[in-house]
Amino acid sequence: MTAVTESLEDFYKQKFNWLPDDLSQDIGHFNVFRLEDCHGPNKAPVKYSRRDYFKVTLFTGKCRYHYADKSVDVDGKALMFFNPNVPYTFESMSDDMKGFFCIFKEGFFTERLRSNINDLPMFMPGGKPSYVLTDEQYNDVSQIFEKMLGEIASDYRFKYDLLNNYVNEVIHYALKLQPTETLYRHPDANSRITSIFTELLERQFPIESTSQRFTLRSANDFADKLSVHVNHLNRAIRQTTGRTTTSHIFERLANEARVLLKHTNWNISEISYTLGFDEPAHFNNFFKKQTQITPSAYRNV
């Protein structure tokens, strides 16, 4: 089954029939909700699709998740992690379902941390996304989500840095737990190729010195490294993620460019070189096409 991809705009329109004013400008968009405000008898059903954003859900009740090609019944308390590469849907099977969920774009992490969210086990292709919780563990994570709800409504200048810390706290809480083995599904051949491609891509980051250079820049480069035909690589990645190989490379390259522009004092030529561009003008054109803003303008925002 080829699933369509739900955007953040789709999410807000379907759930609330409105859009945040700054959604198109906010590269690292983040928001948090109570589950009962978005799911229930009078709410629109959740479609089986990929999303173009990450989602972390904490819930108590009885439900069925359809994740990739596997269906999972959960009765109790659980913490679930979803990424843009895997289509899923959620089906409530009890009237007392409650909890929380937060959604965010990848830039929410890369704008603030010199690390990549796709390196985390729960977000890796073929990873284990579900963690069953005890009552005590559920209460611990609930308190973190309550802090998120309080902070998102505040006018604190640095609230998104604090919200980023809360999300990291939830992630590390989960990493200390043993994932639910019954939810694990060994990835197929396409997922394995995608996983190896992602690992090779991420292995080139972060760029930490001006002498370092991003070298695997095209689908052909990765296909040669993997000893597969480029068409086979492209088909595997599109089938697994719903996106092209090039879009993954360009998105990651643009994310690293943002980090270098914001967190280093390197000049544009040096950043251009480290990211594999022969001419600063080529980097300027690439960055503007990906972000709708020039590197110099972005650095001065």
Side-chain angles (χ1 to χ4, degrees), residues 114 207-210 257-272 274 299-300:
R114 294 300 305 272
I207 303 291
E208 296 178 314
S209 76
T210 54
R258 293 189 189 98
V259 171
L260 294 176
L261 288 165
K262 178 169 285 189
H263 297 291
T264 74
N265 59 1
W266 305 348
N267 62 43
I268 302 298
S269 294
E270 289 172 324
I271 293 174
S272 171
T274 64
R299 172 167 266 175
N300 294 325

Side-chain angles (χ1 to χ4, degrees), residues 227-288:
S227 299
V228 298
H229 194 281
V230 67
N231 292 342
H232 181 52
L233 173 67
N234 288 334
R235 279 195 302 271
I237 291 176
R238 180 177 283 278
Q239 184 168 333
T240 303
T241 71
R243 296 168 52 201
T244 66
T245 309
T246 300
S247 73
H248 284 282
I249 297 170
F250 282 5
E251 179 182 64
R252 187 62 185 90
L253 200 57
N255 283 338
E256 188 68 10
R258 293 189 189 98
V259 171
L260 294 176
L261 288 165
K262 178 169 285 189
H263 297 291
T264 74
N265 59 1
W266 305 348
N267 62 43
I268 302 298
S269 294
E270 289 172 324
I271 293 174
S272 171
Y273 174 82
T274 64
L275 295 178
F277 293 91
D278 293 327
E279 299 289 339
H282 296 164
F283 170 61
N284 285 339
N285 292 336
F286 165 83
F287 191 84
K288 187 171 183 180

